[in-house]
Amino acid sequence: MTTNNILLLLVSLLIAGSFSYFQYIYKAKNKSKVGWFLAFLRFLSIFCILLLLINPIITTKTLEIVKTPLPLVVDNSTSIAFLKSEEKIVEIFKKLQSNKDLQQKFNVQSYQFSSDFEPSDTFNFNGIQSNIDVVATSLKSIYKNQIYPTILITDGNQTSGNDYVYSFDDDKKVYPVIVGDTTTFLDFKINQLNVNKYAFHKNKFPVEAFLNYSGTKNITADFIISQGNSVISKQSIAFSPSRKTATVNVLLPAEKIGLQVFKASISSREKEKNIFNNTKNFAVEVIDQKTNIAIISSISHPDLGALKRAIESNVQRKVTIVKPTEIKSLQDYNVLILYQPTTDFKTIFDTNKKLRINTFVITGNSTDFNFLNQQQNNFIFKMSGGKEDYLSVFNTQFNLFSAENIGFENFPPLQNTFGTINIKDDVSVLLSSKIRNIETRAPILAFTENQGSRAAYLLGENSWKWRLQTHVNNQSFEKFDIFIDKIIQFLASKNTKQSLVVEHDRFYNFGDAIEITAKYFNKNYEFDEKARLTIRLTNSKTKEIKDYDLLKGNNIYKVNLDGLIAGSYKFSVKELNSNSTYSSSFEILDFDIEKQFINPDVEKLSQLASHTKGKEFYPDQIDALVKVLLENDDYKAIQKDIVSKTPLIDWIYLLILISIALVTEWFVRKYNGLF
């Protein structure tokens, strides 16, 4: 308390005493006990009021003992139950949690983890994923700037998250308690399957399998891939104590369109303790994306052969070069490449106005630009009789599709009739023209999209030189061929802007996070934040129906469908205001990743203990673990002086005392007739 406050308190005592003495003692004719009592009440009320006006700061000091936290973390995943270690874990947990010596030295706090991390002192061992990395990140968040040990009771088998060995801080010791049978059993395991999600119809798609063997004898196993009751591939693989891994590559035929589910398995004549890790299901969606392209030209030119080779570098493309007077049916083609159109193309243009097949128009010195002006509404060509060489300038702002600058500025020029080109409609320019060092801003390669129809325009001939220059620069035609393929992909797609766009995978493994996202756009194709989206989910086998709302996030709506059983599901997303709908399906493959292990991962847990300068223990070494923790002088309780400063005006009891004093004074005066 400051000197000023002390002086003010003395003055307050003097004022309160003087006022009460003057009123009840000095002026009183009879100095009775009642007068002295009233004087005391008045003194108390006046002094307390003055005390509130002074409002001194009351400082209090207390001592607090802060113990070192000791997180006791238990693996609550189904792999513990599968390894039949749940009773042992509960026994270890109770023994550590109830230890008096540990409680005296540490602030013991219990947690559990599977896919998530949370406080708990009861366990059901039904978590469908094991993420030890989340333990490290959560403890860092809870115990910031503290030094503490961690007891981790687990089998060490992680199925999701980052590598946990280096997730823990190396200055915070971790003591893993390794549970599970460490005895080596004969076991075959499919560690990993690599396969593309999509394959093209009538092609073959690769499957890569990583196999693992645990055992002490030479043995041969069969690796089989089947679909339903049909065996598609079978290989015999030899293993031995010195050859415990194998990589198998298989090419499978994509014979049926749609989602195809396969089963990969490995087995031998020997009996295994765990057969759950011998099998993995996988799925491939076979799509029919064969694109027929017609290059229509009335002249011969090297560009035609270069385009055909570039397009057919994708095996899903088939190119036919045909004259405009010889083409029989435009309906047979998905894309029309109109090379240097003239009046001979009139029938082609007239027929395509009804069919609305996407087109790729390429002009040059032989093009009839007056005829072309009559057949399209995107450009106005005002061309002279002369010729000009046009260099290319890449537009980095182009966004219709992903396009890479493969060195267009250094490519040979394209030749076209000299003149001016005016853009009439909404056109996206990928390459603009340059004459020598002067940029004309006129397009060389441009794209349009109007009412579902798409068109591309390459305004110049001799693109065969571009393909040749690409090979000179890269010793491969690949970059040019990919560039042309992206143009064809844009033209082959019939996708138009949709108001409701839904994204999802066609198949998931059991236990995976299943998230379906959607976007809804208004008539101006702007994201609608007021949309009301729902999803109806139907199990194809049980016919059980579930309804969910999609929640709005950052420019997206999404729903999580975790907890579904394996099987096939159909779903429909609906926007309630407009009744826009999207329907599709997905499949959850029967694969329990937590049943893939027969032993604890001793090596990984030992690395974790070594990295954090801790030590690994086994269930029969709990007493040794307790002894290590108790004897470690790094973990000592800290005595803290806690100083708290409280303004007197915050004391509610002082206000109550003033009220009681004033009320009592009033009643005493009233009772004694002093009013």
Side-chain angles (χ1 to χ4, degrees):
M1 188 176 294
T2 64
T3 304
N4 287 339
N5 283 341
I6 294 174
L7 292 174
L8 289 173
L9 288 175
L10 292 174
V11 172
S12 299
L13 285 170
L14 181 61
I15 293 173
S18 301
F19 188 81
S20 58
Y21 177 80
F22 177 78
Q23 184 173 1
Y24 285 110
I25 304 300
Y26 178 76
K27 292 179 63 178
K29 296 178 180 180
N30 298 318
K31 295 179 176 59
S32 62
K33 292 182 179 180
V34 173
W36 284 101
F37 181 64
L38 290 172
F40 170 74
L41 292 175
R42 178 58 59 91
F43 168 80
L44 186 63
S45 59
I46 293 175
F47 178 72
C48 289
I49 291 172
L50 292 173
L51 202 59
L52 286 176
L53 292 174
I54 298 170
N55 191 27
I57 304 298
I58 307 301
T59 302
T60 58
K61 183 182 293 186
T62 57
L63 295 178
E64 181 181 356
I65 304 299
V66 180
K67 298 178 182 179
T68 301
L70 177 60
L72 184 55
V73 186
V74 174
D75 189 338
N76 194 47
S77 64
T78 55
S79 66
I80 298 297
F82 182 68
L83 294 178
K84 298 180 180 179
S85 299
E86 61 268 40
E87 293 182 2
K88 178 61 68 175
I89 277 190
V90 172
E91 178 186 340
I92 295 170
F93 172 78
K94 290 181 177 179
K95 186 174 182 179
L96 290 169
Q97 188 190 43
S98 61
N99 188 283
K100 301 286 187 182
D101 295 329
L102 286 179
Q103 290 178 355
Q104 185 175 357
K105 182 175 181 178
F106 297 96
N107 179 16
V108 181
Q109 298 175 332
S110 58
Y111 301 91
Q112 69 171 24
F113 76 91
S114 50
S115 56
D116 295 316
F117 179 86
E118 60 184 356
S120 179
D121 56 5
T122 58
F123 316 102
N124 53 23
F125 305 104
N126 61 4
I128 59 176
Q129 293 275 8
S130 297
N131 185 356
I132 304 178
D133 174 61
V134 77
V135 177
T137 55
S138 300
L139 291 179
K140 289 177 185 178
S141 177
I142 295 171
Y143 304 113
K144 290 182 179 178
N145 303 320
Q146 297 186 61
I147 301 298
Y148 58 90
T150 301
I151 299 177
L152 182 64
I153 308 174
T154 179
D155 57 14
N157 293 313
Q158 178 167 270
T159 59
S160 65
N162 298 323
D163 187 348
Y164 62 84
V165 170
Y166 299 99
S167 297
F168 290 84
D169 291 335
D170 55 10
D171 62 341
K172 298 178 177 65
K173 296 181 180 180
V174 178
Y175 297 95
V177 179
I178 304 172
V179 296
D181 193 345
T182 58
T183 305
T184 300
F185 297 95
L186 185 144
D187 182 61
F188 291 102
K189 178 182 178 181
I190 301 178
N191 267 339
Q192 185 176 337
L193 277 177
N194 292 333
V195 61
N196 293 330
K197 290 186 176 182
Y198 303 97
F200 293 115
H201 187 222
K202 297 298 183 182
N203 281 7
K204 290 187 176 183
F205 61 92
V207 177
E208 185 179 39
F210 296 91
L211 311 177
N212 186 72
Y213 165 66
S214 176
T216 58
K217 60 173 70 173
N218 295 334
I219 196 168
T220 300
D222 292 329
F223 177 70
I224 300 172
I225 297 179
S226 59
Q227 185 178 29
N229 296 323
S230 302
V231 175
I232 300 175
S233 173
K234 181 177 181 180
Q235 296 185 34
S236 294
I237 303 164
F239 294 95
S240 67
S242 60
R243 186 176 186 265
K244 293 191 173 185
T245 61
T247 302
V248 180
N249 292 285
V250 182
L251 285 175
L252 301 182
E255 296 179 345
K256 299 178 182 178
I257 298 174
L259 189 67
Q260 306 299 319
V261 180
F262 301 88
K263 181 173 73 173
S265 61
I266 183 171
S267 61
S268 70
R269 295 181 180 180
E270 299 288 338
K271 187 177 180 180
E272 298 180 53
K273 180 181 179 180
N274 178 22
I275 60 172
F276 287 100
N277 57 9
N278 288 34
T279 302
K280 275 193 178 182
N281 292 331
F282 64 96
V284 174
E285 187 170 2
V286 179
I287 55 178
D288 186 7
Q289 205 186 31
K290 195 77 173 181
T291 305
N292 290 319
I293 298 128
I295 298 179
I296 305 173
S297 175
S298 57
I299 64 173
S300 297
H301 196 282
D303 283 351
L304 305 181
L307 282 171
K308 179 179 172 66
R309 291 186 181 90
I311 296 170
E312 289 187 340
S313 65
N314 184 337
V315 296
Q316 295 302 310
R317 318 288 190 209
K318 181 182 179 182
V319 177
T320 303
I321 300 176
V322 62
K323 292 184 178 181
T325 56
E326 296 176 354
I327 193 166
K328 296 180 180 179
S329 176
L330 289 183
Q331 294 96 321
D332 296 339
Y333 303 100
N334 306 104
V335 177
L336 303 178
I337 299 179
L338 308 178
Y339 189 79
Q340 304 213 37
T342 61
T343 53
D344 293 341
F345 287 71
K346 188 175 188 313
T347 303
I348 304 294
F349 278 99
D350 290 343
T351 304
N352 197 39
K353 287 178 182 178
K354 298 178 181 178
L355 298 178
R356 299 176 66 84
I357 301 172
N358 292 340
T359 58
F360 185 10
V361 177
I362 302 175
T363 67
N365 297 324
S366 301
T367 304
D368 187 337
F369 286 98
N370 291 326
F371 170 75
L372 193 56
N373 281 331
Q374 299 170 9
Q375 302 302 323
Q376 51 80 41
N377 298 315
N378 300 305
F379 301 97
I380 298 176
F381 298 99
K382 297 179 180 179
M383 316 303 279
S384 66
K387 301 177 182 178
E388 185 60 72
D389 291 334
Y390 295 94
L391 296 170
S392 303
V393 179
F394 184 79
N395 177 18
T396 57
Q397 304 301 315
F398 180 81
N399 60 6
L400 279 185
F401 55 85
S402 175
E404 177 188 357
N405 186 352
I406 59 175
F408 294 103
E409 288 83 356
N410 300 318
F411 282 179
L414 298 184
Q415 196 171 80
N416 201 26
T417 304
F418 180 76
T420 59
I421 302 172
N422 296 320
I423 297 175
K424 289 176 58 178
D425 213 337
D426 185 16
V427 174
S428 297
V429 177
L430 177 56
L431 299 176
S432 57
S433 66
K434 183 170 68 172
I435 300 176
R436 298 172 185 86
N437 293 322
I438 301 173
E439 293 189 16
T440 67
R441 299 186 182 277
I444 282 185
L445 180 59
F447 301 85
T448 68
E449 184 174 5
N450 185 21
Q451 296 180 351
S453 294
R454 293 176 172 180
Y457 293 84
L458 179 61
L459 306 179
E461 63 180 67
N462 294 331
S463 59
W464 66 272
K465 295 181 180 180
W466 286 8
R467 189 169 190 261
L468 188 61
Q469 186 64 46
T470 303
H471 192 279
V472 171
N473 295 341
N474 305 284
Q475 289 72 53
S476 170
F477 297 113
E478 182 179 6
K479 287 192 174 183
F480 179 84
D481 294 349
I482 291 175
F483 173 72
I484 294 297
D485 186 66
K486 287 185 176 182
I487 297 175
I488 299 301
Q489 180 67 32
F490 172 79
L491 296 172
S493 173
K494 293 293 184 180
N495 291 336
T496 58
K497 291 182 177 179
Q498 300 174 342
S499 59
L500 180 59
V501 179
V502 180
E503 294 184 0
H504 64 96
D505 289 337
R506 293 301 302 270
F507 46 87
Y508 303 87
N509 285 327
F510 176 75
D512 286 351
I514 302 173
E515 183 177 83
I516 294 178
T517 61
K519 291 183 178 181
Y520 183 75
F521 301 94
N522 58 24
K523 292 182 179 180
N524 291 332
Y525 207 66
E526 299 168 333
F527 180 77
D528 190 345
E529 296 188 352
K530 297 181 180 180
R532 298 166 56 206
L533 297 177
T534 63
I535 181 171
R536 169 160 289 191
L537 186 70
T538 304
N539 186 306
S540 300
K541 183 177 181 180
T542 65
K543 305 303 179 184
E544 181 183 3
I545 297 176
K546 294 183 179 180
D547 293 315
Y548 304 88
D549 290 327
L550 277 76
L551 303 179
K552 188 176 79 69
N554 186 18
N555 289 335
I556 201 168
Y557 293 86
K558 61 183 177 180
V559 62
N560 291 315
L561 303 175
D562 298 345
L564 298 177
I565 62 174
S568 179
Y569 293 86
K570 296 179 180 179
F571 71 92
S572 176
V573 177
K574 184 177 183 180
E575 203 285 314
L576 299 180
N577 295 324
S578 63
N579 290 325
S580 299
T581 59
Y582 171 88
S583 298
S584 188
S585 63
F586 62 84
E587 186 161 345
I588 301 177
L589 305 179
D590 187 9
F591 174 72
D592 190 348
I593 194 170
E594 288 291 321
K595 293 183 178 179
Q596 304 302 304
F597 312 100
I598 61 170
N599 296 114
D601 196 338
V602 177
E603 181 180 354
K604 212 61 172 298
L605 291 174
S606 297
Q607 290 177 7
L608 172 61
S610 176
H611 170 68
T612 59
K613 300 179 179 62
K615 185 180 179 182
E616 68 273 17
F617 292 89
Y618 293 91
D620 58 350
Q621 299 175 321
I622 300 304
D623 292 337
L625 169 60
V626 172
K627 183 178 180 181
V628 168
L629 290 170
L630 294 177
E631 292 179 351
N632 193 323
D633 293 333
D634 293 336
Y635 310 120
K636 293 181 179 180
I638 301 173
Q639 179 176 291
K640 287 187 176 181
D641 289 336
I642 300 176
V643 178
S644 59
K645 296 183 178 181
T646 307
L648 193 65
I649 200 170
D650 291 341
W651 283 23
I652 188 67
Y653 299 109
L654 194 58
L655 295 174
I656 295 172
L657 181 60
I658 294 171
S659 301
I660 292 173
L662 291 173
V663 170
T664 304
E665 182 185 355
W666 185 87
F667 273 108
V668 172
R669 287 173 59 87
K670 184 75 173 176
Y671 181 78
N672 289 279
L674 298 177
F675 286 100

